[in-house]
Amino acid sequence: MSDNGTFTPVIVGFLCNWCSYRAADLAGTSRMGYPATLRDIRIMCTGRLDPTFVLRALQKGADGVLIMGCHPGQCHYQEGNYKAIRRFALLRRTLRQLGIADERVQLHWASAAEGVRFAQTVARVTEQIRQLGPLDWAHNWPNEDPYAVEEAVHE
Amino acid sequence: MSEPRVGVYVCHCGHNIAGTVDVEHVAEWAMGLPNVVVSRDNKFMCASTGQEQVEQDIKEFDLTHVVVASCSPHMHEKTFRNACARAGLNPYMFEMANIREHASWVHPNDRDGATNKAKALVSAAVHRVVHHQPLEPMVVSIRPETLVVGGGIAGIQAALEIADAGYHVYLVEREPSIGGHMAMFDKTFPTLDCSACILTPKMFDAGGHPNITLLSYSEVERVDGYVGNFTVQVRKKARKVDQDLCTGCGSCWDKCPIRIVDTVFEAGLGYRKAIYRPFPQAVPKYPVIDVENCTYFKTGKCRMCEKVCPTNAIRFDMEDEIVELEVGNIILATGFKLFDARRIPQYGYGRLENVFTSLEFERLTNAAGPTEGKIVLRDGETTPKTVAIIHCVGSRDRNFNTHCSAICCMSSLKFAHLVMEKTGAQVYNFYIDMRPIHKGYEEFYHRIMEEGAQFVRGKVSEITGVARSPEEDGKVIVVCEDTLIGHQRRVPVDMVILAAGLEPRADAQAVGYLFGVGCGDTGFFTERHPKLDPVATVTEGVFIAGACQGAKDIPDSVAQGAAAAARVLGTISRREVSLEPIRASIDEERCSGCRICNNMCPYHAIDFIEEKGVSRVNPALCKGCGTCVAACPSQVISGAHFTFDQLMAEIDGILVDVLSDRPIVEAV
């Protein structure tokens, strides 16, 4: 919460190296403003996105996660984004069961030429998560570290 | 192992970053991050002083890892990796935080927000970098042979450059002859050179070059391997003519009784026979038999060509042949497709008799074309007195293609000149914007204006045959708002030429898939970098040239063909090439052999080793996308430089402030 009472969400972004990261670069070089809510991480392809990355980000206090890749059919690794779509569908089911609203974790596309689209997407997702309010997931877990439970089970 | 020692460098980039982000504060704050032993800010990190600072600190502070917070890694990652390497540090022990494109430039009115984001990104890099491992680039040897796909002007140029340098080229062309679209044209802008006169010497050079194996009437079916060592399967379609015996004398097509409308080379205006050579200067000179239309193949009778052939070169039993080639590099120069003007029904093409496409007009005005160069209406005899040329047909139009086709302004001006020169007709150009952007083009535009062509600025709404007044009777009427005078106009003309735009080939996506090249939002092949690497692709060893990369004219296509050849020659003369070590690898000890990853890989880089019951990545084939890494249920595939630990640490680092008692907004 900032001082004036409006909530500023923290969103972790996973951007693919070839399209959406370059779209973000283009938004920068073209000086297209968007809210300073997105903290982005570069991965080579959305196909690299291990769903546990999303869970980790939420666990560590992010209010939302924005995954962005190349448009379907334009993946630089041919089909990585299709794999991301499939994994995302499964991830979303899991997140729903955990009570996480769909708007908090979103998958979008932006080509390297779509700086405007990138900026608009960040602004829109920010607004949606702002409406939902803070997630504060970490403090809603029974244990401090869900991985500790998992490890305990293995041991 | 001793504790990691990280150096952090926060760049001002003049005012570019420091104007929005409190750079000094970020650098000071970063000192409090784990493992950071030195943190500085600097006016320009990419300047030699900035780089020298890094080198000096690596030695003085015994740094094990370096973080530079400045611009996009697509700009300067290499610069700083090299600086690390000069100081004896493995270049992959470096990480970049992008606080310019992703922070200062996009949050110009939010100094606190931008500064906090910069801190988060620096923290992410610091947390990540300590998990970096030293990596060595992979070195693979390069075969000196090259495959060029597409025998248009870009492909011919590329093939000749490489062949002249002394290396072997396989030039594969789908049609019976090389030459591409340029062979169909009459004149070229702005010099009005005869297209055939400047193209055919190059075609003959390519056809007869000792270093070029020409595979015309052939298509690539399969590509295996990786940069330096591709194995390519090419289907040589059966010509039904023995090339060793045929002299190209022409008796066969003279006597062939079947006449077919030639939709490829003559754009539907002329005819060819069932055994044919697309045009007189074709290279190679041998004809092919069109099996679909040949009487012998339909009914088993005729064999006229066989009877008249003086060298007995006709082989009705010839079968397709599969040729296997070993090449080191591949250049794709597969060209473009002309926009189908039927898709704009209100322009009347295919419905109104005297509406022509640009390619039809090229054939009409070509001395070797169906009318021997006479510009006449569809009836074959009437010379037009008024001609309208419509620019941007299917280009710069949200309904069809948003891109500018780059050539239509100039080819329309060329058409205007040819019409006026040959018929004396009044010419109207309907344009949105004139874009004669290259050398000599603006001068050509002025010349055409001085020659008396009319220019009407406005997008044509309709081309109709319905007359509203006696003077419109029997004419084609172009309806358009003239935006310079603010009036709706109806211009009755005898002939309309639609300057159709350039589109990607219909099978561009499939061809791209075959060679590991993506297509962008306009459908053309995607280059590695739109400004700084325009002929390379993300697949090492595969280059693109000409209109398959984007709409362009002949000089640009030639330049790209030569550029791609230069890139190929560079790797050939080095004899080997270094590849980014961003590759997946499988811990075979822990691999369960489930084979889930095998089908994940779009490059077939993962093999299953039967005797061991484990999967293995071929590092030369792997492109490092990481989709197998994310898929492995046992988490035993590691994606170098994007490992699980590195990305988890980056996530933790980027959220360092959120749950901690050390809010990011507080100074250390």
Side-chain angles (χ1 to χ4, degrees), chain B residues 181-187 194-197 199-200 203 253 262 264-272 277-282 359-375 418 422:
Chain B
H181 281 99
M182 192 178 168
M184 302 174 193
F185 301 160
D186 179 40
K187 297 281 191 291
C194 151
S195 186
C197 313
L199 174 66
T200 43
M203 288 168 58
W253 63 80
D262 185 353
V264 177
F265 192 78
E266 295 290 7
L269 287 183
Y271 297 91
R272 63 166 169 80
R277 183 165 78 178
F279 53 102
Q281 304 94 331
L359 203 57
E360 284 180 328
F361 182 79
E362 292 281 3
R363 295 311 299 156
L364 213 52
T365 183
N366 192 314
T371 59
E372 292 170 343
K374 282 202 278 295
I375 299 172
L418 292 172
K422 290 190 175 179

Side-chain angles (χ1 to χ4, degrees), chain B residues 184-187 266-267 269 338 349 355-367 369-371 373-378 384 387-389 411-423 427 495-499:
Chain B
M184 302 174 193
F185 301 160
D186 179 40
K187 297 281 191 291
E266 295 290 7
L269 287 183
L338 206 68
Y349 177 69
V355 178
F356 291 78
T357 65
S358 42
L359 203 57
E360 284 180 328
F361 182 79
E362 292 281 3
R363 295 311 299 156
L364 213 52
T365 183
N366 192 314
T371 59
K374 282 202 278 295
I375 299 172
V376 288
L377 299 182
R378 205 69 81 165
V387 176
I389 303 170
S411 58
S412 299
L413 292 174
K414 175 185 77 178
F415 296 161
H417 171 85
L418 292 172
V419 168
M420 291 187 291
E421 183 187 63
K422 290 190 175 179
T423 66
V427 175
M495 178 190 227
V496 171
I497 305 166
L498 302 176

Side-chain angles (χ1 to χ4, degrees), chain B residues 103-122:
Chain B
S104 69
W105 277 352
V106 284
H107 315 307
N109 305 317
D110 184 2
R111 192 171 173 83
D112 288 346
T115 304
N116 290 345
K117 182 167 172 181
K119 285 174 171 178
L121 295 176
V122 168

